[in-house]
Amino acid sequence: MREPVLTWCVPLELLCSHPLPVSAFLKTQVKLYTYRACAGKDEMGKMVSVINTVDTSHEDMIHDAQMDYYGTRLATCSSDRSVKIFDVRNGGQILIADLRGHEGPVWQVAWAHPMYGNILASCSYDRKVIIWREENGTWEKSHEHAGHDSSVNSVCWAPQDYGLILACGSSDGAISLLTYTGEGQWEVKKINNAHTIGCNAVSWAPAVVPGSLIDQPSGQKPNYIKRFASGGCDNLIKLWKEEEDGQWKEEQKLEAHSDWVRDVAWAPSIGLPTSTIASCSQDGRVFIWTCDDVSSNTWSPKLLHKFNDVVWHVSWSITANILAVSGGDNKVTLWKESVDGQWVCISDVNKGQGSVSASVTEGQQNEQ
Amino acid sequence: MKLKEVDRTAMQAWSPAQNHPIYLATGTSAQQLDATFSTNASLEIFELDLSDPSLDMKSCATFSSSHRYHKLIWGPYKMDSKGDVSGVLIAGGENGNIILYDPSKIIAGDKEVVIAQNDKHTGPVRALDVNIFQTNLVASGANESEIYIWDLNNFATPMTPGAKTQPPEDISCIAWNRQVQHILASASPSGRATVWDLRKNEPIIKVSDHSNRMHCSGLAWHPDVATQMVLASEDDRLPVIQMWDLRFASSPLRVLENHARGILAIAWSMADPELLLSCGKDAKILCSNPNTGEVLYELPTNTQWCFDIQWCPRNPAVLSAASFDGRISVYSIMGGSTDGLRQKQVDKLSSSFGNLDPFGTGQPLPPLQIPQQTAQHSIVLPLKKPPKWIRRPVGASFSFGGKLVTFENVRMPSHQGAEQQQQQHHVFISQVVTEKEFLSRSDQLQQAVQSQGFISYCQKKIDASQTEFEKNVWSFLKVNFEDDSRGKYLELLGYRKEDLGKKHIKEEKEESEFLPSSGGTFNISVSGDIDGLITQALLTGNFESAVDLCLHDNRMADAIILAIAGGQELLARTQKKYFAKSQSKITRLITAVVMKNWKEIVESCDLKNWREALAAVLTYAKPDEFSALCDLLGTRLENEGDSLLQTQACLCYICAGNVEKLVACWTKAQDGSHPLSLQDLIEKVVILRKAVQLTQAMDTSTVGVLLAAKMSQYANLLAAQGSIAAALAFLPDNTNQPNIMQLRDRLCRAQGEPVAGHESPKIPYEEQQLPKGRPGPVAGHHQMPRVQTQQYYPHGENPPPPGFIMHGNVNPNAAGQLPTSPGHMHTQVPPYPQPQRPQNGWNDPPALNRVPKKKKMPENFMPPVPITSPIMNPLGDPQSQMLQQQPSAPVPLSSQSSFPQPHLPGGQHFHGIQQPLGQTGMPPSFSKPNIEGAPGAPIGNTFQHVQSLPTKKITKKPIPDEHLILKTTFEDLIQRCLSSATDPQTKRKLDDASKRLEFLYDKLREQTLSPTITSGLHNIARSIETRNYSEGLTMHTHIVSTSNFSETSAFMPVLKVVLTQANKLGV
């Protein structure tokens, strides 16, 4: 597994005339790891290759970066309170918009499906959700949702089949659902106390019509059952379902994590009856939850891996066969389910930095 | 925001970070008496259950203690990562005693919960701290400058960090360094702090501002910076927190003066070094950034002082504060609304009182009224700056095309408060390729298709085949591209015509030797025996009786011979009777052959003999029934056979050229989820489609549902590996299936073709203003609920233009064709270059079905009247208008969707143009005709037709004079071939060829062909004139191999067919 190969140099020589054994410092400072956990290390370089390095010119930490539906535009957001949109076609990086409007760090951005136009949602520590829209080539604020009492940590658009619906999870523990009702109006539904002391992530289930996948009488509204998952500071993943009266009801609690759930990601539907959710947590664990039968709604967790640090983010590939896991050690790993149902790490996404010391990192950054 | 509260006057200790669930231990405080002035003491453990919304904390255990406590800490001693062992509770008592408790035993309700006890100290033990590196080390401080270091493994004998400081004073605080494990600091109310080095066993530095007013009530090391610590003062005259750096120990680095009165306790967050809690005699609980002095948060508290404050180690947003009014409160610093909690309390009260009629007044009580709080009061704002633990530093998200977007914020350790270095905030876009073999095979397939090297491709596949079956399949596929395919099929089935012929000749020779010599005389007997009777019948011309007699006598040969003489009817009847009587093994085969009833063979042969049945069909069946018969056999194999035979059905389908069934059969047999097995299938399908297209001159452009699904799955896979162009190439063209059309649009855009400006690009989805219920081939799209969204961004505010734009995909020839006929272009429209798609069109033949339609176009095409009506109509309810128009309007339009785009002059090929209708200045209702267009219909075109057709006939430009010779030569050649060709199949091929060559002529008209191609074509024309067709074929090959495939794919294959035929026919 991992081995620390670099020990800490005590900065205060005055205080440390007798260095202690390495083991004493395991928790202290910078650790340089050699990764042996990942079997695919040799293939790694070939499997993942950087094709574009976008200098965002953000003035502070970046918290999210999302491509649009086509993979041609990149939206980023940062602690510098801005949201930026880049045209990244053909390896380029043209700044299209620098969106100012948030008064705090912006945590996440989410692109709406292009059938609704070019729409981007962002959420921030300033307790606001802003929906940005491109009109005549200019991006402008189209709507501001200030219905939360604390940091809004996550935004996610519902499958396009449902219309324009945005789920927002906040540190005030609530989840709000904004539905576009036309003429610039958004209807707000709020689930209070969804996760005590905070909801960290929301993720919609793919649109699947129960029973038939294809044959819907045309012109008729398919009978979708809307669902989404949320994860929070109560260490829980909760599944929510829209009732027939339009109210959202907690359908299921998934308990396996022993610390904050940092992210949940419902896997895209690939036509199989199985539903899959990935979750990651402060406790370093990543679970894959599967449910073979939606009606019985029994979910079983499978531990993908226990990392040594908080895992911040999980993201499924479009074909739902690869999971990208981003950890607190600044490492991104890719995981794939093998034939025998085990999850294996197929690649480290290594750009030359990661859990290395600052001095090393600087040198490597210069190389890029 | 307050989360929980417990009514206790107690010291508190959170369970260590490893522990799950989170517990809070409370021990009766020695310094404060509660409201009852009770002298009882207890140690209690509560669980922090955040999923319970009430303010109550769940009490897990209570232990009645004989001690009251000055200090309580919970160390992770001997705790494993699973948290099964819950560490050790260490309490500082009133009389110099330190007591170790086992929390798990307390929780379990054991009586014996004390692990160990030692009363070596003098006076109350007010200071305790656990070393975070070696959790068995505990430091304690009491009166008389006493400091002991306890090893929990050897609790009996404590160590000292060095000689006692003089003069003796109380130790009020003690703290281990957070970075260096052998460094300890202690502080006393006198205001002095001492730093000890346990290695040297002596104090190494003393920190004091010499004001004599620092009355140390709190001491904490910086979580990250080894040399920094803070001291808090309880003195009302100096209610400050001093931040010291030991490297500059002459004066405080910073002084925080945020409290109005003395500070009673501090706590530095381990999760975020910028969060320092402090509570004071001004009844405030503040959270400030000790690195800047800024107050980030003031907890909403009542007017009571708090004497103890603690961060929860596991949940960094949670803290607890113990106040003098006998309450421990648990807060979150993330803010939030307390409305929910308050409502809970109301509910609780209501339920307690029953809410009905508790006092028997006959009147139910009115609902409890809670004074209406203003929003500002009920909402608690979070910290001014986000805590570190919610700042996500890293992320990786997948996006379309197998791209992975990653970013990371490299943490710069802030050593000694070093300035944060200028960081580069980069986002990386990576291509993730996980299926290398899949991609390379896909690549090979594409190359084979582009170079038309099907035979060699198949051969390679045969050579590489791992299984016999695989080999067979590829052999069958290969045959499709060879001459005399049926014969070759037979060979593959193990029947060689020549062999049979040889055998037959041999037998004939042998037979002839035994033939009796004819001639001579013969005797006509009319006796009563059977011969005589036959003779009589023959003599009277009664063939029927004669035949009957022969049959009766089992003289089959005679019967047949006679029946032949007796005419067709008799023969047929006789054959039937013969077959009815005959029991031979091969009778049924003969029956079928004679009766030409291949269906019989196919339907009723033993499935073990499927090869023979197939061979028979291959030998005898007429071209028009051949496919159906192969199909039938395949179906039988599939339905009735065992698993082995089922797979063999694939071979039948290959012979039949039935792509759809091949897909179905293959899918049944194989696990199609793996990319490589899908690749296996697609290879066969693509080759077979090519074969069908070449040999049977069939229109393969229509794609069945299953095949379309497979192809789009394949395209999805390719896209997911980043091969967008390949994905586009494999995506079926002529289909209305919405998911395929959406995928196509997505692929086109992902390819990064420029969108004019950054204006709202068009999307292959209905815009929201669209009326519902459109007819025609868009049915799939109706599935998208447009409820509530129809009015999104109404026309008035510049609608994103509606419509389904297919970038040059409806028309495979459109690629590379730039509009050259401005007359048909909308002037507002900037030229919209078609994406360069070298693959364009090879997947589908230049659609044959379009050609005939083209000729019908003038009659067929009648959009003006119905279409203009919505334009003419004033703005009104679009839905009702649409409904009215539906019967008439959509019909011509939907037929238009399959219109022969390629044959219209340049401007008409304009699919991807910026929608003129979306431009401002157009009346909103203008866009309706577009809406009517089927997805897949080139909407821009539609509109142009509407405008231009009524006024202007479409005329083709003339072929430039210098190229006219090409047309005349080729057409002449086709005519010659036609006149000398005999079989209808060849004629049909030639007819098709002549139609398909229109594509070439169109390109010549528009002069879009590259000079090398045109000159090559001229060379071919010259060779045709000299009737040197083989030379022409060589040139043909040269052109195909050197030119851009998409440029020539529409006509070069056809030209080859013509040349080959001409060569064969020798015209």
Side-chain angles (χ1 to χ4, degrees), chain A residues 50 265 346:
Chain A
V50 176
I346 54 167

Side-chain angles (χ1 to χ4, degrees), chain B residues 510-523:
Chain B
E510 284 164 10
E511 275 168 23
S512 58
E513 287 166 21
F514 295 100
L515 274 181
S517 56
S518 50
T521 59
F522 64 97
N523 177 21

Side-chain angles (χ1 to χ4, degrees), chain A residues 11-12 14-15 17-18 20 24 28-29 46-56 58 60-67 69-70 72 74 76 87-90 105 107-108 113-116 118-119 125 127 133-137 142 149-150 161 163-164 171-172 179-183 193 196-197 214 218-219 221-222 235 258-260 262 312-313 315-319 322 324 326-328 330 332 334 336 346 349 351 353-354 358 361-362 365 368, chain B residues 3 20 50-51 53 133 179-183 197 199-200 204 227 247 314-318 332 334 336-337 379-387 389-400 403-413 415-416 421 424-436 720 745-746 749-755 758-761 763-768 779 782-785 787-789 791-793 797-798 800:
Chain A
L12 194 62
L14 160 87
L15 295 178
S17 48
H18 306 283
L20 285 172
T28 54
Q29 264 291 332
K46 292 174 246 159
M47 206 174 273
V48 181
S49 41
V50 176
I51 53 174
N52 195 351
T53 301
V54 181
D55 184 355
T56 60
H58 275 302
D60 204 340
M61 232 180 187
I62 298 171
H63 298 298
D64 199 13
Q66 296 286 338
M67 292 264 232
Y69 178 78
Y70 300 109
T72 56
L74 174 74
T76 60
D87 183 335
V88 292
R89 278 175 301 175
N90 305 318
W107 300 133
Q108 278 190 14
H113 193 275
M115 70 186 280
Y116 301 103
N118 287 324
I119 297 170
Y125 189 72
R127 314 195 301 280
R133 190 176 160 252
E134 188 193 51
E135 248 179 85
N136 302 326
S142 159
D149 303 325
S150 185
D161 316 65
L164 264 185
S171 284
D172 66 6
T179 305
Y180 188 73
T181 56
E183 286 156 12
N193 239 323
T196 310
I197 74 161
I214 305 162
S218 59
K221 187 190 171 191
N235 309 349
S258 59
D259 210 330
W260 292 7
R262 286 293 188 177
W312 286 94
H313 187 49
S315 169
W316 291 101
S317 66
I318 306 285
T319 43
I322 305 173
S326 336
N330 272 336
V332 175
L334 301 185
K336 203 176 170 184
I346 54 167
V349 180
K351 291 173 297 302
Q353 58 246 100
T361 305
E362 275 168 38
Q365 275 188 334
Q368 288 183 8
Chain B
L3 300 170
H20 172 72
L50 291 174
S51 56
F133 304 103
Q179 298 292 328
V180 186
Q181 63 167 333
H182 52 93
I183 301 296
D197 182 347
R199 296 250 145 187
K200 297 178 176 167
I204 51 167
T227 58
R247 292 167 297 180
R314 185 175 183 88
N315 193 330
V318 169
S332 152
M334 292 307 293
S337 165
I379 291 167
V380 182
L381 296 185
L383 282 175
K384 268 189 206 164
K385 82 158 197 128
W389 59 81
I390 70 168
R391 284 176 279 171
R392 185 164 86 179
V394 60
S397 301
F398 274 106
S399 88
F400 187 62
K403 302 238 179 5
L404 185 69
V405 182
T406 56
F407 62 89
E408 57 190 47
N409 295 276
V410 178
R411 268 178 274 172
M412 299 290 178
H415 282 301
Q416 285 86 43
Q421 308 208 345
Q424 289 171 316
H425 298 283
H426 283 161
V427 171
F428 303 93
I429 303 170
S430 306
Q431 182 69 56
V432 178
V433 178
T434 53
E435 305 288 344
K436 294 244 181 247
D745 168 81
R746 199 173 185 183
R749 285 170 176 279
Q751 231 179 5
E753 97 264 26
V755 174
H758 296 297
E759 290 160 58
S760 37
I763 321 128
Y765 306 96
E766 299 162 14
E767 281 294 333
Q768 271 45 67
H782 288 184
Q783 293 176 17
M784 290 189 184
V787 196
Q788 298 180 328
T789 53
Q791 297 306 313
Y792 193 58
Y793 304 131
E797 11 163 328
N798 176 36

Side-chain angles (χ1 to χ4, degrees), chain B residues 698-893:
Chain B
M698 270 171 59
D699 174 18
T700 54
S701 59
T702 46
V703 173
V705 176
L706 192 59
L707 176 59
K710 285 284 161 194
M711 289 300 255
S712 69
Q713 193 189 343
Y714 187 65
N716 264 318
L717 267 173
L718 283 169
Q721 299 293 322
S723 295
I724 305 278
L728 263 173
F730 283 103
L731 207 57
D733 263 1
N734 295 359
T735 172
N736 289 327
Q737 293 180 34
N739 55 339
I740 291 182
M741 299 172 83
Q742 284 165 23
L743 180 59
R744 175 179 302 286
D745 168 81
R746 199 173 185 183
L747 289 167
C748 284
R749 285 170 176 279
Q751 231 179 5
E753 97 264 26
V755 174
H758 296 297
E759 290 160 58
S760 37
K762 290 150 300 296
I763 321 128
Y765 306 96
E766 299 162 14
E767 281 294 333
Q768 271 45 67
Q769 7 359 14
L770 296 194
K772 292 185 201 172
R774 287 172 302 130
V778 285
H781 274 251
H782 288 184
Q783 293 176 17
M784 290 189 184
R786 264 160 268 111
V787 196
Q788 298 180 328
T789 53
Q790 294 189 27
Q791 297 306 313
Y792 193 58
Y793 304 131
H795 286 292
E797 11 163 328
N798 176 36
F804 209 127
I805 305 302
M806 302 298 295
H807 298 289
N809 294 309
V810 171
N811 165 15
N813 289 334
Q817 266 179 306
L818 282 176
T820 51
S821 167
H824 292 287
M825 281 169 58
H826 211 285
T827 46
Q828 283 170 279
V829 175
Y832 195 97
Q834 294 293 339
Q836 281 300 319
R837 302 194 304 132
Q839 69 289 344
N840 197 353
W842 67 258
N843 187 32
D844 293 271
L848 289 178
N849 58 338
R850 293 175 182 154
V851 179
K853 279 189 190 161
K854 170 208 163 200
K855 294 182 175 162
K856 282 184 223 145
M857 189 180 78
E859 304 93 63
N860 207 353
F861 195 80
M862 34 180 280
V865 178
I867 284 301
T868 46
S869 58
I871 299 174
M872 300 312 176
N873 275 342
L875 278 164
D877 173 17
Q879 287 209 20
S880 63
Q881 282 183 18
M882 293 324 284
L883 286 171
Q884 286 164 10
Q885 288 148 20
Q886 273 175 16
S888 53
V891 178
L893 272 166

Side-chain angles (χ1 to χ4, degrees), chain B residues 195-213:
Chain B
V195 178
W196 307 81
D197 182 347
L198 299 194
R199 296 250 145 187
K200 297 178 176 167
N201 220 16
E202 61 181 38
I204 51 167
I205 197 164
K206 287 187 181 171
V207 176
S208 167
D209 71 343
H210 309 292
S211 70
N212 289 329
R213 287 182 183 171

Side-chain angles (χ1 to χ4, degrees), chain B residues 130-152:
Chain B
V130 173
N131 189 310
I132 59 169
F133 304 103
Q134 298 186 31
T135 55
N136 58 317
L137 294 184
V138 179
S140 65
N143 292 351
E144 306 294 330
S145 297
E146 278 179 6
I147 297 175
Y148 290 126
I149 311 294
W150 306 84
D151 183 349
L152 297 184

